[in-house]
Amino acid sequence: GNSVTQMEGPVTLSEEAFLTINCTYTATGYPSLFWYVQYPGEGLQLLLKATKADDKGSNKGFEATYRKETTSFHLEKGSVQVSDSAVYFCALSPLYNFNKFYFGSGTKLNVKP
Amino acid sequence: NAGVTQTPKFQVLKTGQSMTLQCAQDMNHNSMYWYRQDPGMGLRLIYYSASEGTTDKGEVPNGYNVSRLNKREFSLRLESAAPSQTSVYFCASREGTESFGSGTRLTVV
């Protein structure tokens, strides 16, 4: 079946620290992979995506590379800001049905000044 | 540009009561979705509608019904609410890009 596993949080970092949030997946075939961000009291927003192996998605300083060999899509940012504090969700959309998204459990990031 | 609008934002129900969560989008998207979000479990798909006039079950459809009233509106109905349906509900629409509503926090007592 399809599933997404994320590292548990919360993750607490100081401003300007390097961020990695791990995400691995199980899927049939080659799904599309996504990272979403949720700020307090709001819905999810698409942060970045990758649709095939070795693709790198990037946005707002965040990056993630679709690694088929390790079935991973880890989120990274070189220098986090307080404004990056949020919950981050990794998700996949199967090749055979783009309407069915499968989300990880979310990782809360706290960035301290 | 409102995007995806959900109503109500908060609701408390007694066990056995019914209610309908409303969702409307103004982006002319074909696909619409209802998710529930529970602590430590991410989002789980309840139902989706790939286009006007069609609906399909997602991962956790039991206890819910949906109606795709027209291209703009996709409602979620709880016929007999149960405490297990206490959750935050999100509506979303998608056509290339995806947009989420701000959520409905539902408590069933």
Side-chain angles (χ1 to χ4, degrees):
Chain A
N2 298 290
S3 67
V4 175
T5 302
Q6 286 182 239
M7 60 186 292
E8 289 193 19
V11 173
T12 301
L13 296 173
S14 297
E15 206 164 23
E16 299 184 3
F18 186 87
L19 168 71
T20 300
I21 300 178
N22 290 338
C23 171
T24 57
Y25 67 90
T26 302
T28 303
Y30 302 111
S32 294
L33 301 173
F34 305 82
W35 276 101
Y36 286 85
V37 59
Q38 184 180 33
Y39 298 102
E42 299 183 9
L44 276 68
Q45 302 174 28
L46 179 64
L47 182 60
L48 54 84
K49 67 179 182 182
T51 58
K52 61 183 188 296
D54 300 324
D55 266 3
K56 177 184 283 188
S58 61
N59 186 24
K60 300 180 181 180
F62 291 90
E63 293 183 341
T65 301
Y66 189 142
R67 301 287 188 198
K68 182 182 66 175
E69 61 277 9
T70 55
T71 62
S72 65
F73 192 55
H74 305 320
L75 182 68
E76 297 182 335
K77 187 175 186 184
S79 176
V80 294
Q81 306 299 312
V82 172
S83 58
D84 293 327
S85 297
V87 181
Y88 292 82
F89 292 91
C90 185
L92 71 82
S93 176
L95 182 65
Y96 59 85
N97 188 343
F98 77 98
N99 282 301
K100 287 197 170 184
F101 272 55
Y102 296 85
F103 286 84
S105 56
T107 302
K108 186 172 184 180
L109 172 64
N110 295 316
V111 181
K112 297 187 173 182
Chain B
N1 189 353
V4 178
T5 303
Q6 287 183 238
T7 55
K9 291 189 182 301
F10 301 94
Q11 184 72 49
V12 178
L13 290 179
K14 294 183 178 180
T15 298
Q17 286 186 316
S18 63
M19 79 161 294
T20 299
L21 280 64
Q22 307 287 351
C23 175
Q25 52 96 5
D26 62 3
M27 296 165 288
N28 205 36
H29 288 173
N30 278 311
S31 301
M32 296 186 73
Y33 310 81
W34 276 105
Y35 293 92
R36 59 178 289 172
Q37 183 180 28
D38 300 295
M41 299 189 73
L43 273 72
R44 292 181 292 170
L45 182 64
I46 305 171
Y47 271 94
Y48 68 96
S49 169
S51 62
E52 184 180 355
T54 68
T55 61
D56 285 287
K57 295 178 180 180
E59 191 180 353
V60 288
N62 291 343
Y64 305 94
N65 286 301
V66 290
S67 295
R68 184 73 183 268
L69 303 170
N70 46 56
K71 193 170 186 179
R72 289 187 64 247
E73 299 173 287
F74 188 40
S75 62
L76 178 71
R77 183 161 178 84
L78 287 70
E79 290 290 351
S80 179
S84 61
Q85 293 178 304
T86 294
S87 188
V88 180
Y89 291 85
F90 287 98
C91 177
S93 70
R94 186 165 182 246
E95 186 93 33
T97 58
E98 185 171 30
S99 293
F100 279 79
S102 56
T104 296
R105 186 173 294 274
L106 175 67
T107 303
V108 183
V109 298

